Short mmCIF file of all heavy atoms in Angstrom, two decimals:
data_model
loop_
_atom_site.label_atom_id
_atom_site.label_comp_id
_atom_site.label_asym_id
_atom_site.label_seq_id
_atom_site.Cartn_x
_atom_site.Cartn_y
_atom_site.Cartn_z
N LYS A 100 66.66 130.02 56.26
CA LYS A 100 67.36 130.00 57.55
C LYS A 100 68.48 131.03 57.60
O LYS A 100 68.73 131.62 58.64
CB LYS A 100 68.00 128.61 57.74
CG LYS A 100 67.07 127.58 58.37
CD LYS A 100 67.84 126.32 58.73
CE LYS A 100 67.85 125.41 57.51
NZ LYS A 100 68.75 124.28 57.55
N ASN A 101 69.16 131.25 56.47
CA ASN A 101 70.43 131.98 56.50
C ASN A 101 70.41 133.40 55.96
O ASN A 101 71.38 134.13 56.15
CB ASN A 101 71.48 131.18 55.70
CG ASN A 101 71.71 129.79 56.28
OD1 ASN A 101 71.45 129.56 57.46
ND2 ASN A 101 72.17 128.87 55.45
N ALA A 102 69.34 133.79 55.26
CA ALA A 102 69.38 135.08 54.56
C ALA A 102 69.00 136.27 55.45
O ALA A 102 68.97 137.41 54.97
CB ALA A 102 68.50 135.05 53.31
N GLY A 103 68.76 136.03 56.72
CA GLY A 103 68.32 137.10 57.63
C GLY A 103 69.29 138.28 57.66
O GLY A 103 68.88 139.42 57.88
N GLY A 104 70.58 138.03 57.44
CA GLY A 104 71.58 139.10 57.57
C GLY A 104 71.78 139.93 56.31
O GLY A 104 72.60 140.85 56.31
N LEU A 105 71.05 139.63 55.25
CA LEU A 105 71.20 140.42 54.02
C LEU A 105 70.77 141.87 54.30
O LEU A 105 69.63 142.11 54.67
CB LEU A 105 70.33 139.82 52.91
CG LEU A 105 70.33 140.50 51.55
CD1 LEU A 105 71.65 140.27 50.83
CD2 LEU A 105 69.18 139.97 50.68
N PRO A 106 71.69 142.84 54.14
CA PRO A 106 71.34 144.22 54.50
C PRO A 106 70.56 144.91 53.37
O PRO A 106 71.15 145.37 52.40
CB PRO A 106 72.70 144.89 54.71
CG PRO A 106 73.64 144.09 53.85
CD PRO A 106 73.07 142.71 53.64
N THR A 107 69.25 144.99 53.48
CA THR A 107 68.44 145.48 52.35
C THR A 107 68.21 146.99 52.36
O THR A 107 67.57 147.52 51.46
CB THR A 107 67.08 144.75 52.33
OG1 THR A 107 66.42 144.96 53.58
CG2 THR A 107 67.26 143.25 52.10
N ARG A 108 68.75 147.71 53.37
CA ARG A 108 68.74 149.17 53.39
C ARG A 108 70.02 149.65 54.07
O ARG A 108 70.38 149.07 55.07
CB ARG A 108 67.55 149.74 54.20
CG ARG A 108 66.19 149.62 53.56
CD ARG A 108 66.08 150.44 52.28
NE ARG A 108 64.71 150.42 51.78
CZ ARG A 108 64.09 149.39 51.21
NH1 ARG A 108 64.74 148.26 51.01
NH2 ARG A 108 62.83 149.48 50.81
N PRO A 109 70.66 150.72 53.60
CA PRO A 109 70.36 151.36 52.32
C PRO A 109 70.70 150.40 51.18
O PRO A 109 71.55 149.52 51.34
CB PRO A 109 71.27 152.59 52.31
CG PRO A 109 72.39 152.24 53.23
CD PRO A 109 71.83 151.31 54.25
N TRP A 110 70.06 150.62 50.01
CA TRP A 110 70.29 149.74 48.86
C TRP A 110 70.23 150.59 47.60
O TRP A 110 69.30 151.38 47.42
CB TRP A 110 69.20 148.67 48.80
CG TRP A 110 69.48 147.60 47.79
CD1 TRP A 110 69.23 147.65 46.45
CD2 TRP A 110 70.05 146.31 48.03
NE1 TRP A 110 69.63 146.48 45.85
CE2 TRP A 110 70.12 145.63 46.80
CE3 TRP A 110 70.52 145.67 49.19
CZ2 TRP A 110 70.65 144.34 46.68
CZ3 TRP A 110 71.03 144.39 49.08
CH2 TRP A 110 71.09 143.74 47.84
N THR A 111 71.22 150.43 46.76
CA THR A 111 71.20 151.16 45.49
C THR A 111 71.44 150.20 44.33
O THR A 111 72.04 149.14 44.51
CB THR A 111 72.28 152.26 45.45
OG1 THR A 111 73.54 151.67 45.71
CG2 THR A 111 72.01 153.37 46.45
N ILE A 112 70.94 150.59 43.17
CA ILE A 112 71.28 149.89 41.93
C ILE A 112 72.13 150.83 41.09
O ILE A 112 71.74 151.96 40.82
CB ILE A 112 70.02 149.50 41.12
CG1 ILE A 112 69.20 148.45 41.86
CG2 ILE A 112 70.42 148.97 39.74
CD1 ILE A 112 68.06 147.87 41.02
N LYS A 113 73.31 150.35 40.73
CA LYS A 113 74.21 151.12 39.86
C LYS A 113 73.93 150.75 38.42
O LYS A 113 73.81 149.57 38.09
CB LYS A 113 75.65 150.71 40.15
CG LYS A 113 76.40 151.67 41.00
CD LYS A 113 77.88 151.48 40.67
CE LYS A 113 78.61 151.28 41.99
NZ LYS A 113 79.90 150.69 41.83
N VAL A 114 73.81 151.76 37.57
CA VAL A 114 73.58 151.52 36.14
C VAL A 114 74.83 151.95 35.39
O VAL A 114 75.30 153.09 35.56
CB VAL A 114 72.36 152.32 35.65
CG1 VAL A 114 72.19 152.17 34.16
CG2 VAL A 114 71.10 151.85 36.39
N GLU A 115 75.39 151.05 34.60
CA GLU A 115 76.66 151.36 33.93
C GLU A 115 76.73 150.74 32.54
O GLU A 115 75.80 150.06 32.11
CB GLU A 115 77.82 150.87 34.81
CG GLU A 115 77.72 149.40 35.16
CD GLU A 115 78.78 148.94 36.16
OE1 GLU A 115 79.08 149.67 37.12
OE2 GLU A 115 79.32 147.83 35.96
N GLY A 116 77.82 150.99 31.85
CA GLY A 116 78.00 150.42 30.51
C GLY A 116 77.51 151.37 29.44
O GLY A 116 77.74 152.58 29.50
N LYS A 117 76.79 150.82 28.46
CA LYS A 117 76.36 151.60 27.29
C LYS A 117 75.13 152.44 27.61
O LYS A 117 74.01 152.13 27.18
CB LYS A 117 76.05 150.66 26.12
CG LYS A 117 77.20 149.71 25.79
CD LYS A 117 78.11 150.31 24.75
CE LYS A 117 79.30 149.43 24.46
NZ LYS A 117 80.50 150.23 24.13
N VAL A 118 75.34 153.47 28.42
CA VAL A 118 74.26 154.39 28.78
C VAL A 118 74.74 155.82 28.57
O VAL A 118 75.96 156.07 28.54
CB VAL A 118 73.80 154.23 30.26
CG1 VAL A 118 72.94 153.00 30.42
CG2 VAL A 118 74.99 154.16 31.20
N ALA A 119 73.79 156.74 28.43
CA ALA A 119 74.17 158.14 28.20
C ALA A 119 75.12 158.60 29.30
O ALA A 119 76.14 159.22 29.04
CB ALA A 119 72.92 159.01 28.15
N LYS A 120 74.76 158.29 30.57
CA LYS A 120 75.73 158.49 31.65
C LYS A 120 75.41 157.53 32.81
O LYS A 120 74.23 157.21 33.01
CB LYS A 120 75.74 159.96 32.11
CG LYS A 120 74.60 160.44 32.93
CD LYS A 120 75.00 161.83 33.41
CE LYS A 120 74.15 162.50 34.41
NZ LYS A 120 72.85 162.48 34.70
N PRO A 121 76.44 157.07 33.51
CA PRO A 121 76.21 156.13 34.61
C PRO A 121 75.32 156.76 35.68
O PRO A 121 75.40 157.98 35.92
CB PRO A 121 77.62 155.88 35.17
CG PRO A 121 78.55 156.31 34.11
CD PRO A 121 77.86 157.40 33.34
N LEU A 122 74.46 155.96 36.29
CA LEU A 122 73.50 156.47 37.25
C LEU A 122 73.44 155.54 38.45
O LEU A 122 73.82 154.37 38.37
CB LEU A 122 72.10 156.49 36.63
CG LEU A 122 71.84 157.42 35.44
CD1 LEU A 122 70.50 157.06 34.80
CD2 LEU A 122 71.84 158.88 35.91
N THR A 123 72.94 156.08 39.56
CA THR A 123 72.69 155.24 40.73
C THR A 123 71.27 155.51 41.20
O THR A 123 70.88 156.67 41.35
CB THR A 123 73.69 155.56 41.86
OG1 THR A 123 75.01 155.34 41.37
CG2 THR A 123 73.47 154.68 43.07
N PHE A 124 70.50 154.46 41.39
CA PHE A 124 69.11 154.61 41.86
C PHE A 124 68.99 154.06 43.27
O PHE A 124 69.49 152.98 43.57
CB PHE A 124 68.15 153.82 40.96
CG PHE A 124 67.99 154.39 39.59
CD1 PHE A 124 68.84 154.01 38.56
CD2 PHE A 124 66.98 155.30 39.32
CE1 PHE A 124 68.69 154.53 37.27
CE2 PHE A 124 66.82 155.83 38.05
CZ PHE A 124 67.68 155.44 37.02
N ASP A 125 68.29 154.81 44.12
CA ASP A 125 68.01 154.33 45.46
C ASP A 125 66.75 153.47 45.43
O ASP A 125 65.78 153.81 44.75
CB ASP A 125 67.80 155.51 46.41
CG ASP A 125 67.70 155.03 47.85
OD1 ASP A 125 68.75 154.93 48.50
OD2 ASP A 125 66.57 154.71 48.30
N ILE A 126 66.77 152.38 46.16
CA ILE A 126 65.63 151.46 46.13
C ILE A 126 64.31 152.16 46.50
O ILE A 126 63.26 151.87 45.91
CB ILE A 126 65.89 150.24 47.08
CG1 ILE A 126 64.78 149.20 46.96
CG2 ILE A 126 66.06 150.65 48.52
CD1 ILE A 126 64.78 148.41 45.72
N ASP A 127 64.36 153.10 47.43
CA ASP A 127 63.10 153.73 47.84
C ASP A 127 62.56 154.66 46.75
O ASP A 127 61.35 154.86 46.66
CB ASP A 127 63.28 154.45 49.18
CG ASP A 127 63.50 153.44 50.29
OD1 ASP A 127 62.70 152.49 50.39
OD2 ASP A 127 64.50 153.55 51.03
N ASP A 128 63.45 155.19 45.92
CA ASP A 128 62.97 155.96 44.76
C ASP A 128 62.40 155.02 43.70
O ASP A 128 61.39 155.32 43.06
CB ASP A 128 64.11 156.80 44.16
CG ASP A 128 64.58 157.86 45.13
OD1 ASP A 128 63.75 158.32 45.94
OD2 ASP A 128 65.78 158.21 45.11
N LEU A 129 63.04 153.88 43.52
CA LEU A 129 62.54 152.92 42.53
C LEU A 129 61.15 152.41 42.91
O LEU A 129 60.30 152.19 42.05
CB LEU A 129 63.49 151.73 42.41
CG LEU A 129 64.80 152.00 41.68
CD1 LEU A 129 65.65 150.74 41.64
CD2 LEU A 129 64.52 152.49 40.27
N LEU A 130 60.92 152.25 44.19
CA LEU A 130 59.60 151.78 44.65
C LEU A 130 58.51 152.77 44.27
O LEU A 130 57.34 152.40 44.14
CB LEU A 130 59.62 151.58 46.17
CG LEU A 130 60.17 150.22 46.62
CD1 LEU A 130 60.59 150.26 48.08
CD2 LEU A 130 59.15 149.11 46.40
N LYS A 131 58.91 154.05 44.10
CA LYS A 131 57.91 155.09 43.79
C LYS A 131 57.87 155.45 42.31
O LYS A 131 57.03 156.25 41.89
CB LYS A 131 58.24 156.36 44.62
CG LYS A 131 57.88 156.20 46.09
CD LYS A 131 58.20 157.44 46.89
CE LYS A 131 59.54 157.30 47.52
NZ LYS A 131 60.18 158.36 48.16
N LEU A 132 58.74 154.87 41.53
CA LEU A 132 58.86 155.27 40.12
C LEU A 132 57.57 155.05 39.35
O LEU A 132 57.16 155.89 38.54
CB LEU A 132 60.00 154.47 39.47
CG LEU A 132 60.32 154.78 38.01
CD1 LEU A 132 60.92 156.17 37.88
CD2 LEU A 132 61.29 153.73 37.45
N ARG A 133 56.91 153.92 39.59
CA ARG A 133 55.67 153.56 38.90
C ARG A 133 54.74 152.90 39.91
O ARG A 133 55.21 152.35 40.91
CB ARG A 133 55.94 152.53 37.79
CG ARG A 133 56.86 152.98 36.71
CD ARG A 133 56.21 153.89 35.72
NE ARG A 133 54.99 153.30 35.18
CZ ARG A 133 54.00 154.01 34.62
NH1 ARG A 133 54.09 155.32 34.54
NH2 ARG A 133 52.94 153.40 34.15
N PRO A 134 53.41 152.89 39.66
CA PRO A 134 52.53 152.13 40.55
C PRO A 134 52.96 150.65 40.57
O PRO A 134 53.28 150.08 39.52
CB PRO A 134 51.15 152.28 39.90
CG PRO A 134 51.26 153.47 39.01
CD PRO A 134 52.69 153.56 38.57
#
Side-chain angles (χ1 to χ4, degrees):
K100 273 189 273 168
N101 300 336
L105 179 72
T107 57
R108 287 295 187 288
W110 189 278
T111 55
I112 293 189
K113 259 205 231 162
V114 175
E115 56 187 40
K117 306 269 176 213
V118 283
K120 75 171 188 329
L122 295 167
T123 301
F124 290 89
D125 188 89
I126 186 73
D127 292 309
D128 295 330
L129 286 180
L130 276 161
K131 286 180 265 171
L132 182 69
R133 299 282 308 158

